Each structure stands twice: as structure tokens, then as C-alpha cells.
Amino acid sequence: SIVHQQGTKLKNEIHYRFGNGQIANRFLNELSHWTSSSGNIDVKAKLAKGADTVKVSYRFDGRGFDYTSSELDDLAAKYEGEEI
């Protein structure tokens, strides 16, 4: 996971690898309907580095604890994906 600070918000980027492109696309589809328990966080995701890898990025305002990364890891694990 990569973290960049931009103003008062932290930008997080995480890459996940899946067994194949079809599974990666299922993960992408689920993310389009997914909401973090950390609040209204705008999560962006796209295929990266080939069809089996998904790049996920989001901004967190730094207030409180950010559960988003852990929740994304759990969601990826549901599709047997792993952070790279």
C-alpha cells in the first residue's frame, strides 16, 4: 500500500492480484457497489499491470481510524486476491 498526503487528505493506493482477469473483474464490479465503514470514502479502482491486477485508490481525511484498507483486503480475500 502506498500513502501520499495531498492537503489534509491522505491518498492511499493498493494493488491486488487475482487468479485471472475474470475474478479481477468480479472484484471491480463488487467495488462499484461497496461502501467503507469508515464513512463516505470515494474509492476508485481499475485494472492495472495486466488483466489480473486491480489498482484501488481512495482519499481519507485523517480523522479517526481508517478501516478502509483492512476492509478492502478482506474483500479481495473473498476473491482469493492478495495485496502486492
Side-chain angles (χ1 to χ4, degrees), residues 1-3 12-18 27 53-54 56 68-70 72-74 76-77 80-84:
S1 141
I2 300 170
V3 178
N12 295 284
E13 292 181 358
I14 308 169
H15 289 82
Y16 295 101
R17 181 176 298 130
F18 298 90
F27 176 72
T53 304
V54 176
V56 179
T68 308
S69 179
S70 175
L72 287 167
D73 288 350
D74 291 346
E80 299 181 7
E82 59 182 12
E83 185 177 342
I84 54 172

Side-chain angles (χ1 to χ4, degrees), residues 33-53:
H33 307 286
W34 182 80
T35 304
S36 170
S37 70
S38 296
N40 187 17
I41 295 177
D42 183 27
V43 175
K44 296 184 183 338
K46 64 181 182 178
L47 291 176
K49 297 182 185 175
D52 65 344
T53 304

